[in-house]
Every structure is written in C-alpha cells, then in structure tokens.
Amino acid sequence: MASPVYVEEELGRKWDKCLSDGLLKFGGGLVLGTVFSLLFFKRRRWPILMGGGFGIGMAYSNCEKDLNDTLRSCSSCANKDTKDTK
C-alpha cells in the first residue's frame, strides 16, 4: 500500500526544484551573457547582467507556476474536507 503524500512534502520538493532550477538558469544566463559580451559587445558588463536576469526571470516564472498549481490542488482538497464535516 502506498503511503500518503503530504502537501508539505510536495511543497518542499517543489522549493528544492525551484532553487536548483534558479541556480542552473542563472548560471546559464551568465555564461551566455559572457559569450555574447566577449564576441559581440566589446567586453561590456551589461550583457552578462542581462543574461543572469533573464535566467532568474525564467526560473521565477516556472517556480511560480509550479507552486500555484500545488496550492490550487491543495485548496480544492481542503474544500472537499470542509464539505464532508458539515
């Protein structure tokens, strides 16, 4: 028999995924920004910062979607529980 999956455990896993996703996307944005800075923009700093910002923005968007989906499914479970007790 499968053990129940608690919402807290699922949220913890989502937060871990969000942090790792954020670090990877931030690092990838920095690397791409550095490459573009070296090749096309005469070693300026703004492409590096912009690449890191794009990476963080993408990670934030993905994390927000994942967490909202989890919380919405949790609120529908809570609504079912309150209907059963009445």
Side-chain angles (χ1 to χ4, degrees):
M1 190 165 144
S3 62
V5 177
Y6 295 106
V7 177
E8 292 85 5
E9 291 176 3
E10 189 173 349
L11 281 175
R13 277 188 252 129
K14 297 269 178 144
W15 272 108
D16 291 343
K17 183 182 172 190
C18 286
L19 289 175
S20 64
D21 188 39
L23 287 174
L24 286 173
K25 285 191 176 18
F26 178 71
L30 285 180
V31 168
L32 283 174
T34 303
V35 168
F36 274 89
S37 175
L38 291 174
L39 295 178
F40 300 115
F41 296 111
K42 299 179 185 177
R43 297 183 183 186
R44 305 271 186 213
R45 191 182 317 168
W46 67 267
I48 300 169
L49 297 174
M50 184 180 265
F54 282 155
I56 289 291
M58 288 171 50
Y60 178 81
S61 176
N62 292 342
C63 186
E64 184 179 27
K65 181 187 174 301
D66 286 344
L67 290 175
N68 282 339
D69 288 345
T70 303
L71 293 175
R72 283 190 189 119
S73 68
C74 175
S75 66
S76 66
C77 294
N79 289 339
K80 289 178 187 175
D81 291 340
T82 57
K83 288 179 185 177
D84 292 339
T85 59
K86 289 183 181 180

